[in-house]
Amino acid sequence: MSDTVIPRTHDDGRVELAPGAVPADGRFVNDDLLPVPLAKRRWTTYNFAALWVGMAHNIPSWLLASGLVALGMDWKQAVFTIALANVIVLFPMLLTGHAGPKYGIPFPVLARASFGLIGANLPALIRAGVACAWFGIQTWIGGQGIFILLGKIFGGWATATEVGGQPWTLWVCFVLFWALELAIIYRGMEALRRFENWAAPFVIVGAVVLLVWIAMKAGGLGPLLDQPSKLGWGEDFWPVFFPALMGMIAFWSTLSLNIPDFTRFGAGQRAQIWGQSLGLPTTMTLFALLSVFVTSGSQAVYGAAVWDPVQLAAKTDNVFGLLFALVTVLIATISVNIAANVVSPAYDLANLAPKLIDFRAGALISGVVGVLIMPWKLTETPELYIFTWLGLVGGLLGTVAGILIADYWIIRRTVLDLAALYTPGGRYWYASGWNLRAVAAFLVGGLLAVGGSHSAEGKGPFPEEGLIPFLRPLADYGWAVGLAAALGLYTVLMLPERERSA
């Protein structure tokens, strides 16, 4: 049926399903997975830019930049590393995002073209698992921020009776913040768009206020800029720079996969291209600049770099300042968490069982899983956060991105059979719903990307010589290795398919 039903194509190239193209009660269909109708694709350049401003300005983004200072970089080295990483990751973001406004489909449906209708659950569940872990990390950091700041205002919170190794008041803050996030996302994508529009500028103001405060305590911007690099630009710098660069890329490599979840609501390609180009690299770089300035300032004022902005804000005794910091932490964390870490697994889990799980149910499941992974363990040190967690995640997600880009741009040349993405037995059914060539490319790319994962002695879960010692040299470039290897291998394996469809 999918070969005979012609989809409706708009003048600007956007496509939507023709009536009756797929059965409404099909095995691979529900309302959240079907293409967004053209009339509802109305996100503008500002909406996409605001989305990125809201997502970039959050505590883990701050921890990335200030963590580089804590690892020994000066502010110029840290900002350069982050700016370069975000320019690099923008390209796969735009490439995978193209399918959103053109076809109105989310990431797991796009993955069906390359992995097969059932096989798409492999990359979808990997992405969902990463998002759930990120959701837990962000929620823990947000709850911890509320706990610290309220403790400064009311006192006595930190000495409350401990439950599970933490004060019970901290658990209350964590649970309340978790519930608030899920309440917002439960209202749907339109509520998210409205929230991001006003959250973004508020968080920028909060970061600038923190910069002004620490600059005044340091006696001006001079001491902030004078903190020297402990690494220099020689042999001590590069072993930190390359894994840090991959870690910075890995931070948004999650969104480089599921960005169609958002661009599917775009009014056109221009909106998503300009919105993302203006929103991602510029705001991440400016926020990194704010972060390293403030962290360098804390080093000048307190004698050691305070890389957590909540801990730094808690050093003030001004009640108004603490309340303002509390509201900023709330908005900043909610802004990124519901956009980056709940939307994706909600769609991914819906793709796993469309008849049983819709977007809202997927969001609730994601929230529960995000608590179960014990997120407080992943942000204990800059080494564990940047090198181990982000390095491993980046390698796997880079591999999936390579396959998606190769399939959509090289093999399909951006032309998809929209109805077949929902129809068993059609063009994307492959071998019982699985494209084994995509699975092979994923396994090889993933092995090369993360097989050499290693940790410094006593600072991580991997052996010092690497999981697979001869792959250890590749581990510091995991995202790039995974993307390049999977893209190349998938293209070679799928060339006969392209020739048949030409």
Side-chain angles (χ1 to χ4, degrees), residues 40-339:
K40 294 185 178 180
R41 299 181 204 175
R42 53 175 180 256
W43 283 35
T44 64
T45 296
Y46 176 79
N47 294 138
F48 287 113
L51 176 76
W52 275 113
V53 172
M55 289 198 295
H57 294 153
N58 63 85
I59 296 173
S61 290
W62 188 287
L63 295 179
L64 281 180
S66 58
L68 294 181
V69 174
L71 289 171
M73 291 187 183
D74 63 17
W75 72 270
K76 295 184 291 293
Q77 292 169 330
V79 172
F80 167 72
T81 303
I82 290 171
L84 179 60
N86 283 281
V87 169
I88 292 172
V89 81
L90 176 65
F91 288 100
M93 198 83 67
L94 295 177
L95 291 175
T96 53
H98 184 278
K102 182 170 183 178
Y103 295 102
I105 54 176
F107 155 66
V109 174
L110 174 63
R112 292 175 181 179
S114 51
F115 282 85
L117 268 69
I118 298 176
N121 288 309
L122 172 63
L125 289 179
I126 291 172
R127 174 64 184 96
V130 171
C132 289
W134 269 121
F135 176 81
I137 290 171
Q138 293 270 13
T139 304
W140 176 254
I141 290 173
Q144 196 174 43
I146 298 168
F147 168 77
I148 291 171
L149 296 172
L150 286 180
K152 283 284 291 185
I153 295 171
F154 299 113
W157 283 49
T159 58
T161 304
E162 290 193 356
V163 176
Q166 303 289 349
W168 69 265
T169 46
L170 174 55
W171 292 116
V172 169
C173 293
F174 176 62
V175 171
L176 289 176
F177 187 61
W178 172 84
L180 175 62
E181 291 176 309
L182 291 187
I184 293 174
I185 195 62
Y186 192 77
R187 296 181 62 85
M189 290 294 290
E190 187 61 22
L192 171 62
R193 181 180 71 88
R194 292 194 298 268
F195 180 83
E196 295 290 352
N197 284 346
W198 67 265
F202 185 91
V203 176
I204 295 175
V205 172
V208 171
V209 168
L210 191 58
L211 173 63
V212 171
W213 172 70
I214 198 67
M216 291 175 63
K217 290 186 71 70
L221 287 176
L224 278 63
L225 305 178
D226 290 342
Q227 298 299 318
S229 170
K230 297 176 182 177
L231 304 174
W233 287 94
E235 60 182 14
D236 292 333
F237 174 71
W238 301 110
V240 175
F241 169 75
F242 284 110
L245 180 68
M246 292 299 107
M248 300 305 105
I249 292 172
F251 190 75
W252 289 125
S253 66
T254 51
L255 267 293
S256 70
L257 292 186
N258 75 288
I259 194 65
D261 292 345
F262 301 94
T263 61
R264 68 192 296 230
F265 297 96
Q269 295 297 343
R270 181 185 296 272
Q272 73 100 2
I273 291 172
W274 279 105
Q276 294 203 80
S277 299
L278 293 172
L280 171 59
T282 53
T283 55
M284 275 297 288
T285 301
L286 289 173
F287 199 58
L289 201 60
L290 284 171
S291 172
V292 297
F293 280 177
V294 172
T295 304
S296 295
S298 71
Q299 190 167 313
V301 173
Y302 299 107
V306 183
W307 74 306
D308 186 339
V310 174
Q311 296 285 352
L312 185 58
K315 290 183 177 292
T316 181
D317 292 323
N318 183 287
V319 174
F320 175 78
L322 286 167
L323 286 173
F324 181 79
L326 174 63
V327 174
T328 303
V329 166
L330 279 169
I331 293 175
T333 308
I334 292 173
S335 179
V336 65
N337 219 13
I338 59 178

